[in-house]
Amino acid sequence: MYRIAICDDEKSSAAFAAELLDKYRREHPKLEFKVDTFYSSLDLLEAAGKKPYDIYLLDIYVDKLSGIEIAESIKESNESAKIIFMTSSNAFYKDAFRIQAVHYLEKPILEQDFFEAMDRVCITNDIRYLTVRESGEVSKINIDDILYIESEDHYKRIVTTQKSFFVRSTMQTLMDEINCEYFHAFGMKTIINLKKVLKITKDVVTMDDGAKFPVPRGTYRNLSELLLKYTF
C-alpha cells in the first residue's frame, strides 16, 4: 500500500488531485492507496513527522512554507520520499531538479501527465543490463546504475553507483548496447546518464558522485532541456 499526502491550500486543486488519484487507482486495481489531504503545510509536516508518506503531491505555493521548503524538510528525514510538484508556475524547475522530484506538473494538470508521474513511482520497469568483460570476468551492469562512461584510449571506464569497470570497447559500441535515449554523448570521450546529473551550469555538468564534465560550447540550452525532459 502506498501512503499518499496531497498538500494544496486551494481546496478545489486538492480535490482535483484526489480525483486524478482515484482514476489512476481504478486503472491499476492491483495498487492500494491511502490518501490524506492537507490544506496547510504545518499540518502536513506534523502528520509526516509521526508517520512518513511514500508519495507527496505538493503545490509550490502553500501558506507559510513553499512546496520547495516542504520537500526539503521531508527529504531531510525521509530520503526515499517521492515528491511530485503541482504548480501554476514554471519558475521552480531548478529547485525541483535539485531536490530530485519525480515530476513537475504545471496546472491545469493533464490526466496523461499525472498518470505518467504516478507510473514513475508505482510501476516497476523491467531491468535492463549491459554485459561487459573485465580481466576475463563477465559482469552484468544494471543500465540505470551507470553514472557515466569515460574513454581512456582503447579502454572505457564505466562508473556506476556501486563501482567502476574498465573494459576494452568503443564508445559507439557501448552506446549501441545501452540503447537508451537518456544517455548523452559528449563527442567520443564521455557518455553521461542524464538521470544521474546532480546539477548543471553553462560551463559544467556535475554528476551524482561529484564528478564534473565541461559543457561543450553552444550545447547548454539543448542539454538543460534534455535534463528537464528525462528528470521530469
Side-chain angles (χ1 to χ4, degrees):
M1 174 183 290
Y2 291 96
R3 298 186 72 246
I4 302 176
I6 300 171
C7 186
D8 195 318
D9 56 357
E10 293 185 7
K11 292 187 177 181
S12 59
S13 295
F16 183 62
E19 180 182 330
L20 288 174
L21 270 177
D22 190 53
K23 287 183 179 179
Y24 183 81
R25 182 192 57 77
R26 290 200 300 270
E27 290 198 9
H28 300 82
K30 292 184 179 180
L31 296 177
E32 294 185 29
F33 295 154
K34 183 183 184 305
V35 182
D36 292 329
T37 300
F38 301 89
Y39 308 112
S40 159
S41 58
L42 297 180
D43 288 345
L44 168 65
L45 292 175
E46 181 180 357
K50 296 175 181 177
K51 189 173 182 180
Y53 291 89
D54 304 301
I55 305 169
Y56 294 81
L57 303 175
L58 304 178
D59 184 26
I60 288 289
Y61 301 102
V62 185
D63 54 58
K64 296 181 179 179
L65 295 177
S66 72
I68 299 296
E69 291 173 315
I70 297 170
E72 288 174 334
S73 179
I74 289 168
K75 285 286 192 176
E76 284 180 4
S77 58
N78 181 16
E79 291 185 1
S80 64
K82 306 301 182 184
I83 309 293
I84 298 173
F85 286 113
M86 309 178 298
T87 178
S88 55
S89 169
N90 63 4
F92 295 90
Y93 268 127
K94 288 186 178 180
D95 290 313
F97 177 72
R98 172 176 54 80
I99 294 169
Q100 297 183 318
V102 172
H103 216 307
Y104 190 99
L105 300 172
E106 292 188 41
K107 298 178 180 177
I109 297 171
L110 301 178
E111 183 176 300
Q112 180 179 347
D113 292 341
F114 184 89
F115 282 17
E116 179 184 330
M118 291 301 297
D119 281 347
R120 293 187 183 186
V121 178
C122 302
I123 306 300
T124 303
N125 296 320
D126 293 334
I127 298 175
R128 297 180 61 244
Y129 292 96
L130 174 67
T131 301
V132 300
R133 183 184 297 273
E134 180 184 34
S135 301
E137 181 178 337
V138 177
S139 301
K140 290 174 62 179
I141 306 172
N142 184 339
I143 286 176
D144 283 336
D145 285 342
I146 297 174
L147 297 172
Y148 50 87
I149 302 172
E150 294 182 283
S151 178
E152 299 182 18
D153 295 325
H154 297 299
Y155 287 83
K156 306 298 174 280
R157 187 174 302 280
I158 303 172
V159 179
T160 75
T161 52
Q162 289 83 33
K163 60 180 293 187
S164 62
F165 300 84
F166 198 56
V167 303
R168 188 179 179 89
S169 183
T170 67
M171 292 300 243
Q172 188 59 56
T173 296
L174 291 174
M175 280 292 280
D176 290 343
E177 292 177 352
I178 290 171
N179 192 28
C180 286
E181 57 185 6
Y182 49 86
F183 278 78
H184 183 79
F186 289 161
M188 294 305 293
K189 290 292 185 181
T190 307
I191 298 171
I192 64 171
N193 182 347
L194 295 172
K195 292 186 176 182
K196 300 295 184 181
V197 172
L198 180 64
K199 62 181 179 180
I200 180 174
T201 68
K202 291 185 177 180
D203 300 312
V204 176
V205 168
T206 303
M207 307 303 294
D208 278 352
D209 67 344
K212 298 178 185 294
F213 299 103
V215 175
R217 182 175 297 179
T219 66
Y220 169 75
R221 181 173 180 179
N222 178 61
L223 186 57
S224 58
E225 289 176 354
L226 286 173
L227 285 172
L228 291 176
K229 176 180 179 181
Y230 294 117
T231 302
F232 303 123

